[in-house]
C-alpha cells in the first residue's frame, strides 16, 4: 500500500508543478482570465504589474509548500514500505510534513488578506481559517511521540 501511495504522491506532485506553471503564466500575462482561490476571484486584466507579480509569487509559494508536503509524505511512505516505522528518519519526515502544514496555514492567512492588497475596491469582509496551522502543530506534536518511540525501539534493540 505504501508503494501505491508513494506513486500517487509523485503523480500529484507532477500535477501541482503543471498547474503552478500555468497559473504563473496566467498571472503574469493573462488578459481574459482570472485566478480563483477559495471564494476570492482575481481578474487578471484588472490588476497592475506589481499586483500580478505579487500574485505570481504567491502562486509559486503555494506550489512550493504543497510540493514540500508531498516530498516529505513520499519519503515517509518510502520508509514505511521498507518497514521502518518507528525510526528517527520517519519521525523527522512526520515533523517536516507537520511544518509544511503550518506553512500552508500561514499561506491561507496571506491569501485571505490578499484582496486588501491587490484590489482597488477590496471586499469589506474576508474569511480566513487557522485549521491548517492547528493541524500542523498537532502533527509536529505527533512527530515528537514518534521520535520517543524510535528512541525506545533503539534501546530495546540494544537490550535484546
Amino acid at each position: 500500500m505504501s508503494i501505491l501511495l508513494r506513486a500517487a504522491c509523485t503523480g500529484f506532485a507532477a500535477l501541482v508543478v503543471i498547474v503552478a506553471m500555468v497559473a504563473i503564466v496566467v498571472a503574469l500575462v493573462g488578459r481574459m482570465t482570472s485566478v480563483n482561490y477559495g471564494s476570492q476571484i482575481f481578474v487578471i486584466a484588472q490588476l497592475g504589474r506589481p499586483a500580478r507579480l505579487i500574485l505570481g509569487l504567491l502562486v509559486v509559494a503555494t506550489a512550493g509548500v504543497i510540493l514540500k508536503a508531498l516530498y516529505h509524505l513520499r519519503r515517509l511512505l518510502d520508509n514505511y514500505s521498507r518497514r521502518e516505522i518507528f525510526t528517527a528518519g520517519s519521525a523527522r519526515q512526520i515533523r517536516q510534513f507537520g511544518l509544511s502544514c503550518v506553512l500552508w496555514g500561514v499561506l491561507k492567512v496571506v491569501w485571505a488578506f490578499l484582496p486588501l492588497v491587490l484590489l482597488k475596491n477590496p471586499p469589506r469582509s474576508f474569511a480566513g481559517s487557522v485549521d491548517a496551522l492547528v493541524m500542523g502543530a498537532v502533527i509536529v506534536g505527533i512527530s515528537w511521540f514518534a521520535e520517543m518511540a524510535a528512541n525506545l525501539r533503539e534501546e530495546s534493540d540494544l537490550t535484546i
Side-chain angles (χ1 to χ4, degrees):
M1 190 64 164
S2 294
I3 294 170
L4 182 65
L5 290 173
R6 195 177 63 200
C9 284
T10 303
F12 191 56
L15 181 66
V16 167
V17 168
I18 291 168
V19 169
M21 288 176 19
V22 169
I24 292 167
V25 169
V26 165
L28 295 178
V29 297
R31 299 269 185 241
M32 304 297 288
T33 58
S34 62
V35 174
N36 299 345
Y37 182 84
S39 63
Q40 300 155 350
I41 299 173
F42 301 99
V43 179
I44 302 300
Q46 297 174 352
L47 299 176
R49 185 172 305 275
R52 288 181 185 205
L53 287 174
I54 291 170
L55 188 61
L57 288 174
L58 198 52
V59 166
V60 168
T62 302
V65 168
I66 293 171
L67 289 174
K68 177 180 172 26
L70 287 171
Y71 172 76
H72 293 295
L73 186 59
R74 187 182 187 289
R75 296 226 12 213
L76 178 66
L77 291 168
D78 189 36
N79 289 350
Y80 287 175
S81 69
R82 291 190 311 264
R83 299 194 187 280
E84 297 175 5
I85 311 270
F86 294 111
T87 62
S90 293
R92 186 173 33 259
Q93 295 308 320
I94 293 170
R95 182 174 303 115
Q96 290 299 317
F97 181 74
L99 291 174
S100 299
C101 291
V102 169
L103 288 173
W104 177 255
V106 169
L107 279 174
K108 284 177 72 173
V109 171
V110 171
W111 275 102
F113 284 104
L114 196 61
L116 299 174
V117 175
L118 297 184
L119 301 178
K120 292 177 184 174
N121 295 320
R124 302 229 186 266
S125 65
F126 62 92
S129 64
V130 293
D131 55 347
L133 286 169
V134 173
M135 183 176 61
V138 168
I139 292 172
V140 169
I142 290 171
S143 75
W144 289 329
F145 289 115
E147 190 172 7
M148 285 190 285
N151 290 338
L152 288 174
R153 180 178 170 263
E154 288 175 9
E155 286 179 17
S156 72
D157 286 348
L158 292 175
T159 338
I160 295 176

